[in-house]
Amino acid sequence: MKIIQVNAIPLSMPIAPGEHRTWWGDYPSISIVLVEVVTDEGIKGYGEGLARYCPQSYAMLVEKLLAPQYIGKDPFEVESLWQRAFRSHSGKSGGMLMEAISAIDIALWDIMGKALNQPIHRLLGTCGRTEVDAYASSISWNAEDKAAEQVEAATRQGFKMIKVKLGAPADDAIAWCRKVRDMVRPDIKLCADANFAYSLDEAIKVANALHELDFYWFEEPLIPEDIDGYKRLRTASPMMIVAGESEHTSFGARELIASRSVGMIQPDCTRAGGITETRKIANTAYAFNVGYAPHIGGGGAVSAAANLQLSAAMPNFVIFESMIFPSALRDELATEPVGSIDLKTGKVNVPQGPGLGIELDFDVVDRLRSKG
């Protein structure tokens, strides 16, 4: 089997005000890059790369820089192809390059699963999970009416844990967490995501308050580059610290894990080099008794499916992020819902079909194709 085409399709959609608000502000839209890899045997694989801004630039990167590295190659040589793409740009790799590689890599795994008529998690050596625990993500920052609406929706759907977005300054974040704590039933866990809003001193202050309010974890309080800050925070904080969605490689995540700065690592396979590299991050965490809880964020249906396949296979998997704001990229891009909680079981089902286990709706693909 040989790869004969690598096609990139930028997709985007608007988001209603307040639906996805962090301390940076409202996200007016979300976007991804969808990649189609075609083989000479007629098997097509699909992958997704996180492309929050300018998805057209990701499509150009895929087709102009990366596609020539894959054309004519065997898709089962996924590791050597990953290494080849990883070195296609000199210097330290990260950002757009790794997110673009992620999309192609996921598509290769989709092809392998389809060729062997097996879901990806079985190719990885599955832990046998057909469903996984999940939490609702995320309650919008400092928007009381919207937050109450989101909490009610998450509770109605049966989530047992809900994540709330935080912002700066620290005193406002603490007051906000008290409000959200009062909105939520006492039997439901809460966790908090700061999107690196704080200095070390502020983070310690917020961590102590979250501990008093019985929050379960404190996510990304510091900028991802501040590894020494994370080490100091872990020592000073009574809270479990989690991070890692901003890491693009196992090299980048290594010190965060090995230093025990985090209790869980949160790579997203649509930005951390696809399934090939994200598996390495999760396995590195396993070696240090650190949990794995994938990031989903603004990802689409392919992201949800790929991260679920990894969740079913990794021995240190803890919990899956299920986004609560409406998204056609996630809710309509596949012909069947993926990544949403099952109202009967209170869990998220792992797709069991070949490859990613999903079928795309190409009418929706055409409707969401980014024209800008």
Side-chain angles (χ1 to χ4, degrees):
M1 186 188 298
K2 301 297 181 186
I3 297 167
I4 59 173
Q5 290 182 46
V6 178
N7 306 313
I9 308 166
L11 304 177
S12 62
M13 56 158 282
I15 302 180
E19 288 285 0
H20 189 40
R21 177 177 297 169
T22 72
W23 75 286
W24 300 338
D26 282 352
Y27 277 78
S29 65
I30 55 174
S31 62
I32 62 174
V33 61
L34 179 69
V35 166
E36 176 189 67
V37 176
V38 183
T39 71
D40 60 356
E41 294 186 10
I43 299 175
K44 297 178 181 179
Y46 294 92
E48 177 182 328
L50 184 70
R52 286 191 176 124
Y53 309 103
C54 302
Q56 297 84 1
S57 62
Y58 284 82
M60 181 177 293
L61 183 63
V62 167
E63 294 186 343
K64 300 297 185 183
L65 176 66
L66 294 175
Q69 310 289 335
Y70 293 85
I71 300 298
K73 301 297 191 298
D74 180 353
F76 277 81
E77 296 178 5
V78 64
E79 182 63 49
S80 66
L81 288 171
W82 193 94
Q83 296 294 335
R84 183 184 178 96
F86 181 62
R87 296 303 178 195
S88 62
H89 189 280
S90 62
K92 186 176 180 180
S93 295
M96 286 181 63
L97 177 65
M98 293 309 301
E99 290 161 352
I101 290 173
S102 300
I104 303 174
D105 182 83
I106 292 167
L108 299 186
W109 281 92
D110 192 30
I111 288 170
M112 290 190 290
K114 288 172 177 175
L116 297 174
N117 198 33
Q118 295 289 336
I120 291 168
H121 67 88
R122 289 187 61 83
L123 274 61
L124 293 167
T126 184
C127 284
R129 302 184 187 103
T130 59
E131 57 186 16
V132 296
D133 291 327
Y135 66 96
S137 181
S138 298
I139 304 304
S140 289
W141 158 246
N142 223 9
E144 195 160 348
D145 290 343
K146 176 56 67 175
E149 176 187 316
Q150 291 172 330
V151 166
E152 195 279 329
T155 304
R156 185 176 64 250
Q157 291 174 54
F159 285 100
K160 302 303 182 187
M161 187 164 80
I162 299 173
K163 186 163 79 178
V164 56
K165 290 290 189 182
L166 300 188
D171 288 341
D172 287 358
I174 293 166
W176 177 238
C177 286
R178 290 196 179 106
K179 287 183 180 180
V180 176
R181 177 77 274 179
D182 289 341
M183 294 178 191
V184 175
R185 293 192 331 232
D187 61 312
I188 294 177
K189 288 182 179 179
L190 282 174
C191 54
D193 181 2
N195 294 112
F196 39 92
Y198 307 121
S199 67
L200 176 59
D201 290 333
E202 291 170 325
I204 293 170
K205 182 177 183 178
V206 174
N208 282 308
L210 293 178
H211 179 66
E212 291 175 6
L213 292 167
D214 197 28
F215 275 60
Y216 179 49
W217 80 49
F218 188 16
E219 181 175 332
E220 269 202 323
L222 307 175
I223 59 172
E225 295 86 358
D226 189 8
I227 301 300
D228 185 63
Y230 274 98
K231 294 176 185 177
R232 293 169 184 261
L233 177 61
R234 185 64 186 268
T235 301
S237 169
M239 290 288 300
M240 177 165 63
I241 305 300
V242 304
E245 71 178 71
S246 299
E247 297 300 337
H248 293 90
T249 65
S250 56
F251 309 113
R254 180 174 53 197
E255 188 174 359
L256 200 62
I257 294 167
S259 66
R260 306 299 207 285
S261 297
V262 293
M264 282 191 288
I265 194 77
Q266 299 174 298
D268 181 338
C269 70
T270 67
R271 71 183 322 196
I275 290 169
T276 299
E277 186 69 3
T278 305
R279 174 175 58 168
K280 293 173 187 171
I281 296 174
N283 282 334
T284 301
Y286 172 76
F288 287 93
N289 200 29
V290 169
Y292 159 61
H295 169 264
I296 303 298
V302 175
S303 168
N307 281 293
L308 280 168
Q309 295 293 335
L310 276 163
S311 298
M314 295 298 100
N316 53 335
F317 167 79
V318 179
I319 196 164
F320 183 81
E321 182 176 31
S322 186
M323 306 305 294
I324 58 174
F325 65 86
S327 168
L329 289 170
R330 181 187 65 246
D331 303 330
E332 300 176 35
L333 199 62
T335 55
E336 298 290 337
V338 57
S340 299
I341 197 166
D342 187 317
L343 296 179
K344 294 180 181 178
T345 64
K347 296 178 182 290
V348 171
N349 294 320
V350 177
Q352 297 298 312
L356 289 167
I358 63 172
E359 297 292 334
L360 298 183
D361 186 329
F362 289 97
D363 289 336
V364 176
V365 170
D366 287 340
R367 174 163 59 87
L368 298 178
R369 189 184 295 261
S370 180
K371 307 296 196 299

Coordinates of all heavy atoms in Angstrom, one line a residue, residues 26 37 48 58 62 73 86 102 173 179 191 193 220 222 234-235 264 267 316 325-326 338-339 358:
D26 N -13.9 36.1 24.9 CA -14.7 35.1 24.2 C -14.0 34.6 23.0 O -13.4 35.4 22.3 CB -16.1 35.8 23.8 CG -17.0 35.9 24.9 OD1 -16.8 35.3 26.0 OD2 -18.1 36.5 24.7
V37 N -5.9 11.5 3.8 CA -4.7 10.8 3.2 C -5.3 9.6 2.3 O -6.1 8.8 2.8 CB -3.8 10.2 4.2 CG1 -2.7 9.4 3.5 CG2 -3.1 11.4 5.0
E48 N -7.0 15.2 12.1 CA -7.4 16.6 12.5 C -6.2 17.2 13.2 O -5.6 16.5 14.1 CB -8.6 16.6 13.4 CG -9.0 18.0 13.9 CD -10.2 17.9 14.8 OE1 -11.1 17.0 14.7 OE2 -10.3 18.8 15.7
Y58 N -2.5 26.4 7.9 CA -2.2 25.0 8.2 C -2.3 24.1 7.0 O -1.5 23.2 6.8 CB -3.1 24.5 9.3 CG -2.8 25.0 10.7 CD1 -3.2 26.3 11.1 CD2 -2.1 24.2 11.6 CE1 -2.9 26.7 12.4 CE2 -1.8 24.6 12.9 CZ -2.2 25.9 13.3 OH -1.9 26.3 14.5
V62 N 0.5 21.7 5.4 CA 0.4 20.3 5.1 C 0.7 20.0 3.6 O 1.4 19.1 3.3 CB -1.1 19.9 5.4 CG1 -1.4 18.5 4.9 CG2 -1.3 19.9 7.0
K73 N 4.9 6.6 0.1 CA 5.4 5.8 1.2 C 4.2 4.9 1.7 O 3.1 5.1 1.5 CB 5.8 6.7 2.4 CG 7.0 7.7 2.0 CD 8.2 6.9 1.6 CE 9.4 7.8 1.5 NZ 9.3 8.8 0.5
F86 N 9.0 15.2 11.3 CA 9.5 16.0 12.5 C 10.8 16.8 12.1 O 11.0 17.9 12.6 CB 9.8 15.0 13.6 CG 10.3 15.6 14.9 CD1 9.5 16.5 15.6 CD2 11.5 15.3 15.4 CE1 9.9 17.1 16.8 CE2 12.0 15.8 16.6 CZ 11.2 16.7 17.3
S102 N 0.3 16.3 13.3 CA -0.7 15.5 14.1 C -1.8 15.1 13.2 O -2.3 13.9 13.3 CB -1.3 16.4 15.2 OG -0.3 16.8 16.1
A173 N -10.8 35.4 40.8 CA -10.9 33.9 40.5 C -11.5 33.2 41.7 O -12.3 32.3 41.6 CB -9.6 33.4 40.1
K179 N -18.8 31.2 43.8 CA -20.1 31.3 43.1 C -20.4 30.0 42.4 O -21.6 29.5 42.6 CB -20.1 32.4 42.1 CG -20.2 33.8 42.8 CD -20.3 34.9 41.7 CE -20.4 36.3 42.3 NZ -20.5 37.3 41.3
C191 N -13.3 21.0 39.1 CA -11.9 21.3 38.8 C -11.8 22.6 38.1 O -12.8 23.1 37.6 CB -11.2 20.2 38.0 SG -12.0 19.7 36.5
D193 N -9.5 25.5 35.5 CA -8.5 25.6 34.4 C -8.2 27.1 34.3 O -9.1 27.9 34.0 CB -9.1 25.1 33.1 CG -8.2 25.2 32.0 OD1 -7.0 25.7 32.1 OD2 -8.6 24.8 30.8
E220 N -3.2 24.2 34.5 CA -2.4 25.2 33.8 C -2.4 26.6 34.5 O -2.8 27.6 33.8 CB -2.9 25.4 32.3 CG -2.2 24.5 31.4 CD -2.3 25.0 29.9 OE1 -3.3 25.5 29.5 OE2 -1.3 24.8 29.2
L222 N 0.2 28.3 35.4 CA 1.4 29.1 35.0 C 1.7 28.9 33.5 O 1.2 27.9 32.9 CB 2.7 28.6 35.8 CG 2.6 28.6 37.3 CD1 3.8 27.9 37.9 CD2 2.4 30.0 37.9
R234 N 4.1 22.9 42.8 CA 3.7 21.5 43.3 C 4.1 21.3 44.7 O 3.4 20.7 45.5 CB 4.3 20.5 42.4 CG 3.9 19.0 42.7 CD 2.4 18.9 42.5 NE 1.9 17.6 42.9 CZ 1.8 16.5 42.2 NH1 2.2 16.5 40.9 NH2 1.3 15.4 42.7
T235 N 5.2 21.9 45.1 CA 5.7 21.8 46.5 C 4.8 22.6 47.4 O 4.5 22.2 48.6 CB 7.1 22.2 46.6 OG1 7.9 21.4 45.8 CG2 7.6 22.1 48.0
M264 N -1.3 14.8 36.7 CA -1.8 14.2 35.4 C -1.3 15.1 34.3 O -1.1 16.3 34.4 CB -3.3 14.3 35.4 CG -4.0 13.1 36.2 SD -5.8 13.0 35.8 CE -6.4 14.4 36.7
P267 N -1.9 15.9 27.2 CA -1.6 16.1 25.8 C -2.9 16.0 25.0 O -3.8 15.2 25.3 CB -0.6 15.0 25.5 CG -0.9 13.9 26.4 CD -1.4 14.6 27.7
N316 N -2.6 4.3 32.0 CA -2.7 5.3 33.0 C -3.8 6.4 32.7 O -3.8 7.4 33.3 CB -1.4 6.0 33.2 CG -0.8 6.5 32.0 OD1 -1.1 6.0 30.9 ND2 0.1 7.5 32.1
F325 N -20.0 23.3 25.2 CA -20.5 24.3 24.3 C -20.9 23.7 23.0 O -20.2 22.8 22.5 CB -19.5 25.5 24.1 CG -18.3 25.1 23.5 CD1 -18.2 25.2 22.1 CD2 -17.1 24.8 24.2 CE1 -17.0 24.9 21.4 CE2 -15.9 24.5 23.5 CZ -15.8 24.5 22.2
P326 N -21.9 24.2 22.3 CA -22.3 23.6 21.0 C -21.2 23.8 20.0 O -20.6 24.9 19.9 CB -23.6 24.3 20.7 CG -24.1 25.0 21.9 CD -22.8 25.2 22.7
V338 N -19.9 11.8 18.7 CA -18.7 11.2 19.2 C -18.2 12.2 20.3 O -18.2 13.4 20.1 CB -17.6 11.0 18.1 CG1 -17.3 12.3 17.3 CG2 -16.4 10.4 18.7
G339 N -17.8 11.6 21.4 CA -17.2 12.4 22.5 C -18.2 13.0 23.5 O -17.9 13.6 24.4
I358 N -15.3 6.2 13.0 CA -16.4 7.2 12.7 C -16.4 7.4 11.2 O -15.4 7.1 10.5 CB -16.1 8.6 13.4 CG1 -14.8 9.2 12.9 CG2 -16.1 8.4 14.9 CD1 -14.6 10.6 13.3

